[in-house]
Amino acid sequence: MLSQQKGSLLRNAVSEESVTGEKAFFEQVGSATAVKRTSRHSDTPLSETPHSRRMCTMESYEYADLIDDPDKVSMLISPQNSHANAAAYAIGRSIDDAIITAALGSASTGKSGSTSVANSNSVTVGSPATGLTIAKLVEANKIFQNGSVDPSIPRYIAVGPEQIEDLLNSTTVTSADFNSVKALVQGDIDTFMGFKFIISTRLNVDGSDHRKVFAWVEDGIKLAMGRDLMTKIEPRADKSYSTQVYVCATFGVTRMEEAKVCEILCSE
């Protein structure tokens, strides 16, 4: 196998739920307000709890390739396992692409999912004229704190290799921070400043070629799995009995709450 991202890097960092149907709806319950009792034996007050929902559309992804018998002979080994792995890796990367798109794109909300909500959180300090800095990580953390996000829920940040280099080269990094970032690069640790780092080469850029890094809280992004990876390896009579490797999956992704996802534009 040539060098490649072997499956999804982000799937285990988001909330996942099995669903059925072409569309999936997830309930949102907002913050309620208590009412002060002002007299004895007063009527019970009724307070309406804020309630909404998010919708994601299920999409099917598939990959298929044919393996001829002469190919097996020339390679002297059965390539079926490698082809099946390559197909599964491709589907996994598609899951990451869907998560990245949903994290920073518009989310469908409302009873029928007809209302589009844009991502409202972005780091402004030094952005996007600079690379990833300690100050940007501090502000991202502050955004979650201002949104009253539960600190016990795991927090993640998806960055590219360039952003790790930015941290190593930052003049504001203390010696202790430098040692932590160095350990992060070497794989000795994966968490820095409260964020678990995931290094991905699939992050998008904006119109000015600024890398769209993003931080999120685990339950801030929902992965709806309609059908997990299904693999079939079998001969096809219509293709001279060549062996077909087929892999498919059905899933959808939505951002559950704007307060739990933060964009960090970084210059490269």
Side-chain angles (χ1 to χ4, degrees):
M1 299 289 295
L2 296 180
S3 298
Q4 59 188 281
Q5 179 183 315
K6 295 183 177 181
S8 174
L9 299 175
L10 306 179
R11 179 174 179 175
N12 291 332
V14 300
S15 174
E16 182 175 332
E17 187 172 330
S18 297
V19 300
T20 58
E22 296 181 355
K23 295 182 179 180
F25 290 89
F26 302 101
E27 304 304 315
Q28 295 174 305
V29 179
S31 175
T33 303
V35 177
K36 183 179 180 180
R37 181 187 295 178
T38 58
S39 63
R40 297 181 62 192
H41 310 302
S42 60
D43 292 339
T44 302
L46 295 179
S47 301
E48 184 175 350
T49 303
H51 188 273
S52 186
R53 64 200 318 203
R54 284 288 160 94
M55 183 200 78
C56 65
T57 302
M58 308 301 290
E59 302 285 354
S60 293
Y61 295 77
E62 58 185 359
Y63 176 99
D65 197 6
L66 293 174
I67 306 171
D68 295 329
D69 283 340
D71 292 338
K72 296 180 183 179
V73 174
S74 64
M75 293 178 66
L76 300 180
I77 60 172
S78 173
Q80 290 178 352
N81 289 337
S82 295
H83 279 70
N85 286 335
Y89 295 160
I91 296 293
R93 292 191 292 269
S94 295
I95 292 176
D96 278 8
D97 291 342
I99 290 173
I100 292 169
T101 298
L104 300 178
S106 295
S108 299
T109 190
K111 183 177 180 179
S112 61
S114 59
T115 302
S116 181
V117 178
N119 179 49
S120 57
N121 282 329
S122 61
V123 168
T124 58
V125 56
S127 179
T130 60
L132 185 61
T133 62
I134 300 296
K136 288 186 177 182
L137 294 177
V138 170
E139 184 176 354
N141 185 58
K142 184 177 72 173
I143 287 174
F144 291 150
Q145 291 176 334
N146 284 336
S148 299
V149 176
D150 186 347
S152 67
I153 306 174
R155 300 181 181 185
Y156 299 87
I157 183 170
V159 302
E162 185 78 17
Q163 283 70 59
I164 297 296
E165 184 177 356
D166 290 340
L167 291 177
L168 283 174
N169 293 332
S170 175
T171 56
T172 61
V173 173
T174 65
S175 58
D177 288 334
F178 181 84
N179 291 334
S180 296
V181 174
K182 188 175 181 180
L184 183 70
V185 174
Q186 295 172 342
D188 296 332
I189 62 172
D190 60 7
T191 303
F192 180 59
M193 293 197 66
F195 295 101
K196 183 172 182 178
F197 276 64
I198 299 177
I199 302 175
S200 172
T201 57
R202 306 190 71 80
L203 298 178
N204 301 317
V205 296
D206 66 7
S208 301
D209 288 335
H210 298 130
R211 189 67 57 187
K212 300 173 74 173
V213 170
F214 68 100
W216 74 99
V217 180
E218 185 176 68
D219 63 354
I221 301 175
K222 179 75 73 173
L223 170 62
M225 291 299 300
R227 178 172 57 183
D228 214 330
L229 270 72
M230 181 192 72
T231 303
K232 287 186 176 294
I233 302 176
E234 55 190 9
R236 283 186 51 176
D238 62 326
K239 295 295 183 180
S240 301
Y241 290 92
S242 294
T243 299
Q244 176 177 274
V245 177
Y246 178 82
V247 178
C248 67
T250 301
F251 54 87
V253 186
T254 185
R255 184 180 60 254
M256 287 299 298
E257 186 180 353
E258 282 60 58
K260 294 181 177 179
V261 181
C262 173
E263 181 182 58
I264 309 172
L265 292 176
C266 295
S267 172
E268 294 189 354

